[in-house]
Structure formats: C-alpha cells, structure tokens
Amino acid sequence: MKKILSIMLCIGVIISMCACSSGGKKEEGTAKESEGGDKGLIGITTSMYTNEGLTIMCDTIKEKVEEEGYQAVIKDANLDQAQQTKDVEDFISQGAKLIIVEACDSVGVKSAFELCNKAEIPVLSVNQILGDDLLELVTGSVTSDNYTAGYEVGKEVAKELDGKGKVCILTYDVAFVCRERGDGFKDAMAENEGIEVLEVFDGVCTEDEAMKKTEDWLQQYPDVTAIFGNNSNCGVGIAAAVRSAGKVDDILVANVDGLSADIRNMEDGALDVTAVYPMKELAAAASERAVEVLKTGKCGEDPRLKFSLCTIDDLDTYKEYWGIE
C-alpha cells in the first residue's frame, strides 16, 4: 500500500511540474505587452504597427497609460480587419478597462466597436476617419486633417509642374484617412486644366504594391510626369521604382505622411513633396484622452490636427523632427 501511495505521489509531482512549465507562451509578432499594471488592462490595436508613425503613436499611448498604473498590450492587425476584430474580442475576454482602436477599415471596424459597446467597455478611436454612424459608437476620436494635407500636396505638385503634366494616383479608400488624402489631391489636380490624370488606382497601401504598380505605370505611361501615393509606404515604393528606372529627374513624386523614410528620400532627390503627419502631437493628444477616459469615462472635444507641407526647402526642419542625423 505504501508503494502505491509513493507512486501516486510521484505522478502528482510530475503533473504539477508539467502544468507549471506549459502554457503562457505569447504568440510571436502579435502583441507587445508590459509587466504589472494593477489598475487593469488597456488594449491597443493598430492597422500596421510596422508603420513608423503608428509605432510612435502606440508606444506613446502605452507608456502614458502605464505611468497611470495600467497594463498595456499592443496588437498588430497587419491590415486585416477580421484579425483586428478578433483582437478586440480577446481584449474584451481579458476584461480590458479601455480599448484603443486604430482601424484597418473605416467601415468594417463597426463590428469591433459594437462588441465593445455590448461589453460596456469604452473605446477610443485614433488616427482613422470614421463616418457619423461609427462616431456614435466610440467614446472619443483623435484624428488629423487628411483632406487638407492631400489638397496642399496637390497644389504644390501643380505649382512645380507649372500647371501642366500627366499624373497617376494611388489611393486606399477602404481607410477613410487615405481616402480623404486622395480626394484632396484629386481636387487640387482638377483645378488645373493643363493637368491630365492618367489613372487613379485604388487598393494600394504597402511599399511592395506601390513599387509594382509604379513599375507597371512607367511601362504603360512613359510620358507620366508625377505620381502621388496616399501614405509613406506608397511614397517609398514609388520612389524606389522611379529611382530604379533612372527617372528621378523626370518624374515628380509626392505623398502624404512625411515620415523619416520620406524625408530621407527627399534628401536623395527621389521624393519631391510631402505633408508631414503631426504624429508626435497626435500621440500626445490620444494619450491625454485615453487617460481622461480611464479616469472619467468620457473625453473632451475631438481634435483634427494639421499636417505641415514639406519640400526640399523645409528638409532640415523635418530631419530634426524625426531625429535624422
């Protein structure tokens, strides 16, 4: 009998050790977590964490809420709205106190917001533009004036083309932030009778896609004189294709975002015009509102921050802004 008890005891110890050593492993590349935070969990989900501006935004918010005693987890949906909705579901199941969403899809994100509302968890929208029906579902929204950014870039492009030229445009209308940039740029082009828009191609948001489409355009439209991209990824892709084709001096390249990669391309002559996203200011405003929501359950007036136009004449200012040596 003693032998049987001894064997059972050993088995129990082994099972206990296995239980302690298994589980709890974080899936690589999906979340950025923090230790501690006795006030509870804050979930942060973004459309593309690898984007420099969104990295700054998410990390700033994370740092701020951690200073207030919360635990913060960042999840990257990588442009997949279904994944982002699943990430929101995960935050809800973990009992998040607040969920901050930088949406992949300005329409498709609705189901994620509805889940938050059903769970009675406040949700803060950052960066992305939302329709009025979705704004009713969020506690607050922090955005920038993307239409004016696209319009001002378009005005500068028209000026540098002396009101004459042939232009191609990359858009990404599923994200209203990019749609507004494209709308602003197209409206600026329409004000110039001497400028012909050869093609508007929708659905491009990554560097590889933009580079491939630009390569196609350079074959299809050998007389193109300017190409516009809706974000920094597109700007980098367009610049790479134009540089590779040896047409840096022949084709004017423009975009919106003005992140550090854009500023470096401008320094090399591969990008001519951009509008610099006030990402540091947006991150600070979003952080303030996140803390305000956590403390009061609501936040103040939703800001729409202004971009700054940047050409080669402004290069030193924005090299300093992004810390480029």
Side-chain angles (χ1 to χ4, degrees), residues 186-197:
K186 286 183 282 187
D187 285 350
M189 294 298 98
E191 294 176 357
N192 298 269
E193 293 183 0
I195 292 180
E196 176 186 358
V197 176

Side-chain angles (χ1 to χ4, degrees), residues 157-158 161 164-169 185 189 195-196 198-199 217 223-228 238 250-254 272:
V157 167
L161 291 176
K164 302 182 291 292
K166 297 185 178 183
V167 180
C168 290
I169 301 171
F185 186 83
M189 294 298 98
I195 292 180
E196 176 186 358
L198 298 171
E199 186 176 344
W217 275 339
D223 54 349
V224 63
T225 53
I227 302 175
F228 170 80
I238 295 166
D250 303 318
I251 298 175
L252 189 152
V253 178
D272 300 278

Side-chain angles (χ1 to χ4, degrees), residues 215-271:
E215 289 170 346
D216 292 343
W217 275 339
L218 295 179
Q219 294 296 319
Q220 186 177 359
Y221 306 116
D223 54 349
V224 63
T225 53
I227 302 175
F228 170 80
N230 63 78
N231 67 2
S232 185
N233 295 331
C234 288
V236 171
I238 295 166
V242 170
R243 186 188 293 112
S244 179
K247 291 182 174 291
V248 168
D249 295 330
D250 303 318
I251 298 175
L252 189 152
V253 178
N255 79 329
V256 174
D257 265 345
L259 303 183
S260 63
D262 297 319
I263 302 305
R264 290 189 177 94
N265 276 330
M266 185 173 286
E267 190 171 28
D268 291 342
L271 182 74

Side-chain angles (χ1 to χ4, degrees), residues 6 22 46 51 61 103 118-119 176 194 201 212 226-227 235 253 256-257 275:
S6 179
S22 65
T46 181
N51 175 282
I61 296 172
K118 185 177 180 180
F176 288 179
F201 189 84
K212 179 64 171 64
I227 302 175
V253 178
V256 174
D257 265 345

Side-chain angles (χ1 to χ4, degrees), residues 39-235:
K39 288 187 178 180
L41 171 68
I42 307 303
I44 305 168
T45 171
T46 181
S47 64
M48 187 187 289
Y49 183 74
T50 52
N51 175 282
E52 177 187 19
L54 296 180
T55 301
I56 291 171
M57 183 192 76
C58 291
D59 288 354
T60 300
I61 296 172
K62 180 177 184 291
E63 180 182 0
K64 183 65 175 178
V65 297
E66 286 176 349
E67 289 174 357
E68 296 292 326
Y70 294 88
Q71 178 194 12
V73 175
I74 299 170
K75 290 197 175 188
D76 181 11
N78 196 25
L79 297 176
D80 185 342
Q81 186 56 59
Q83 179 60 50
Q84 187 165 64
T85 301
K86 182 180 181 298
D87 291 341
V88 168
E89 288 179 312
D90 289 344
F91 288 143
I92 292 171
S93 68
Q94 294 166 28
K97 301 295 184 182
L98 169 71
I99 298 176
I100 299 168
V101 178
E102 192 274 320
C104 298
D105 183 326
S106 296
V107 175
V109 74
K110 182 177 182 179
S111 59
F113 291 158
E114 289 174 335
L115 288 171
C116 294
N117 287 186
K118 185 177 180 180
E120 298 184 346
I121 296 173
V123 56
L124 180 66
S125 173
V126 294
N127 183 51
Q128 194 54 270
I129 305 297
L130 302 175
D132 290 342
D133 58 329
L134 268 69
L135 285 172
E136 294 176 356
L137 301 176
V138 301
T139 307
S141 173
V142 182
T143 61
S144 296
D145 188 353
N146 290 274
Y147 175 87
T148 301
Y151 181 79
E152 291 298 329
V153 167
K155 292 283 285 185
E156 182 63 26
V157 167
K159 176 183 174 183
E160 296 198 17
L161 291 176
D162 197 23
K164 302 182 291 292
K166 297 185 178 183
V167 180
C168 290
I169 301 171
L170 289 177
T171 61
Y172 190 69
D173 287 354
V174 70
F176 288 179
V177 61
C178 294
R179 184 193 67 180
E180 290 201 351
R181 296 171 179 185
D183 287 350
F185 186 83
K186 286 183 282 187
D187 285 350
M189 294 298 98
E191 294 176 357
N192 298 269
E193 293 183 0
I195 292 180
E196 176 186 358
V197 176
L198 298 171
E199 186 176 344
V200 177
F201 189 84
D202 185 38
V204 174
C205 188
T206 68
E207 181 179 334
D208 289 344
E209 291 170 333
M211 183 167 62
K212 179 64 171 64
K213 190 59 187 175
T214 300
E215 289 170 346
D216 292 343
W217 275 339
L218 295 179
Q219 294 296 319
Q220 186 177 359
Y221 306 116
D223 54 349
V224 63
T225 53
I227 302 175
F228 170 80
N230 63 78
N231 67 2
S232 185
N233 295 331
C234 288

